[in-house]
Amino acid sequence: MRKRYKILQQVMLAGTIGRRALANVLSMTERVLRAETELLKEQGLLIISASGMSLSEEGRMVLEELEQLGPLVFGNSELEIKLQNMYGLQQVIVVPGNSEQSEASKRELGRAAGLLLKRVIKSGDVIAVSGGTTTAQVAKYLSLPGTIKDVMFVPARGGLGESLDYQANTIASMMAKRTGGQYRLLHVPDHISEEAYESMMQEPSIKEIVEVIRHARIFIHGIGDATVMARRRKTDPEEVRAMVAEGAMAESFGFYFNRHGEPIHKMKTVGMRLEDILKIECIVAVAGGPSKAVAIDAIMRFGHNHALVTDESAALEMIRMHEESGHHGEL
């Protein structure tokens, strides 16, 4: 069953794939694979044509149901258990591949996080989302059963400086449209001066939406490298240099963290504060790729994430870093 599940999963990731290529990916002989794929074809789950294999609509549905049961049926993978123990997380999902090099892996990150959210969202929930390319992928794959009602999606904070497709506002509205939920937007810049912050927080409409955001039950966020994110946000170069000197390694939910997961640089942002994050019931981090391993590690050490969705390349790099630090003192 595990073997057939893996076959369906890889075919779904590839879209269409030939038997030889699939055998290589799964480290399986073509003879064994032929027998399994013929059986899946007879069950109406695979379509086999001259151009290769693809999933039928029924195959897609079966795969989605299996994934909901994944950990129950197959147990967690070794990588997932290692990361869970390393950071004391309630749940870890590791998807195949390297999302920095493969579009399919990046899509799979979004899909896996979407499935996880589907399991945890309840009627009446407020879900806060951060901006970014990975959370935008989650929005594409999020669906909810019709029994779940009155769900509200909100941006975690203002973010009018970033590219429109990856702003938290855009992602919150996409998630709401895909699930039939509601959404509220927050039209304020990402980083503002103390005076602007004070006056904005006096605005009744902003005050009201910020109250909603600060009482979210679920928060889904990406993780970025500190300097990359600071530049993307057009942060003053002097400020970036000061942050790096302070040891900033990672950025998440508008804050910068050092490698021990300590917040070291807070900017005035309208929306969720660090103290609100500490009270949230369910926090899901989604990030992959080996270059993000240091940043993911720092945010996990911050210790207020309940679930991590990542890819194999980041997971292996994080485990390697931990093993090295165990042998040679602190990282």
Side-chain angles (χ1 to χ4, degrees):
M1 189 171 173
R2 187 192 290 259
K3 197 187 290 173
R4 289 168 197 165
Y5 169 66
K6 285 273 179 231
I7 291 169
L8 292 175
Q9 200 177 34
Q10 286 300 331
V11 173
M12 188 281 307
L13 275 175
T16 303
I17 190 169
R19 188 177 284 128
R20 184 169 299 164
L22 185 57
N24 284 340
V25 171
L26 294 166
S27 309
M28 208 182 269
T29 66
E30 280 191 60
R31 194 173 58 80
V32 171
L33 184 64
R34 182 180 291 114
E36 294 295 352
T37 51
E38 282 301 327
L39 188 121
L40 290 167
K41 180 189 169 186
E42 280 165 31
Q43 291 177 333
L45 307 180
L46 272 188
I47 297 163
I48 301 179
S49 65
S51 57
M53 291 174 275
S54 56
L55 282 193
S56 67
E57 199 42 53
E58 195 174 341
R60 205 170 289 278
M61 283 159 64
V62 165
L63 181 63
E64 201 165 302
E65 281 168 22
L66 278 174
E67 281 169 327
Q68 296 279 1
L69 299 169
L72 295 173
V73 180
F74 308 120
N76 287 41
S77 78
E78 203 178 315
L79 282 180
E80 289 167 344
I81 291 165
K82 260 192 172 167
L83 291 180
Q84 233 169 323
N85 293 338
M86 259 163 53
Y87 301 113
L89 296 164
Q90 287 170 21
Q91 186 164 7
V92 174
I93 297 172
V94 176
V95 305
N98 176 342
S99 56
E100 276 166 20
Q101 291 176 353
S102 149
E103 266 310 304
S105 282
K106 189 151 195 173
R107 286 198 301 272
E108 186 59 6
L109 268 183
R111 223 173 58 88
L115 286 166
L116 173 61
L117 283 174
K118 192 174 181 176
R119 287 202 291 270
V120 296
I121 293 174
K122 299 190 230 170
S123 291
D125 272 348
V126 173
I127 299 115
V129 294
S130 76
T133 55
T134 315
T135 38
Q137 286 289 341
V138 181
K140 287 183 193 168
Y141 292 100
L142 185 59
S143 66
L144 290 179
T147 48
I148 292 177
K149 305 271 185 245
D150 304 321
V151 171
M152 164 92 70
F153 293 89
V154 293
R157 54 192 173 74
L160 289 183
E162 298 182 45
S163 148
L164 186 66
D165 289 351
Y166 308 130
Q167 278 181 24
N169 273 338
T170 311
I171 294 165
S173 68
M174 264 174 78
M175 286 182 169
K177 284 169 189 157
R178 284 198 59 84
T179 58
Q182 301 163 294
Y183 64 95
R184 300 287 301 275
L185 302 181
L186 183 59
H187 294 293
V188 295
D190 202 359
H191 297 309
I192 51 179
S193 68
E194 189 73 48
E195 305 87 89
Y197 178 81
E198 293 306 333
S199 68
M200 272 184 185
M201 292 311 286
Q202 299 310 311
E203 279 289 321
S205 60
I206 289 178
K207 215 172 177 172
E208 186 213 347
I209 172 79
V210 166
E211 266 312 294
V212 175
I213 292 167
R214 288 178 178 172
H215 287 91
R217 189 181 79 86
I218 296 170
F219 178 30
I220 179 154
H221 67 88
I223 293 170
D225 172 270
T227 45
V228 172
M229 292 308 294
R231 288 195 192 107
R232 194 182 291 172
R233 296 210 171 110
K234 301 179 179 59
T235 308
D236 177 63
E238 267 312 302
E239 209 171 341
V240 177
R241 271 194 286 277
M243 267 168 34
V244 173
E246 280 179 75
M249 291 301 236
E251 185 280 340
S252 199
F253 28 86
F255 301 96
Y256 293 86
F257 297 79
N258 66 16
R259 62 173 15 143
H260 306 295
E262 296 155 352
I264 53 168
H265 196 85
K266 299 182 188 180
M267 296 186 172
K268 274 291 177 202
T269 64
V270 175
M272 208 172 270
R273 300 161 303 187
L274 219 41
E275 56 265 38
D276 303 315
I277 289 159
L278 305 183
K279 290 186 280 199
I280 288 178
E281 201 176 309
C282 176
I283 303 180
V284 180
V286 192
S291 74
K292 289 262 185 90
V294 171
I296 300 169
D297 176 68
I299 301 300
M300 293 303 109
R301 286 168 184 249
F302 172 59
H304 289 279
N305 275 292
H306 305 105
L308 169 65
V309 181
T310 190
D311 62 20
E312 263 170 341
S313 64
L316 290 167
E317 182 59 19
M318 282 144 74
I319 289 164
R320 187 192 65 74
M321 282 159 46
H322 266 246
E323 284 169 356
E324 271 191 12
S325 69
H327 297 149
H328 311 295
E330 188 51 68
L331 262 181

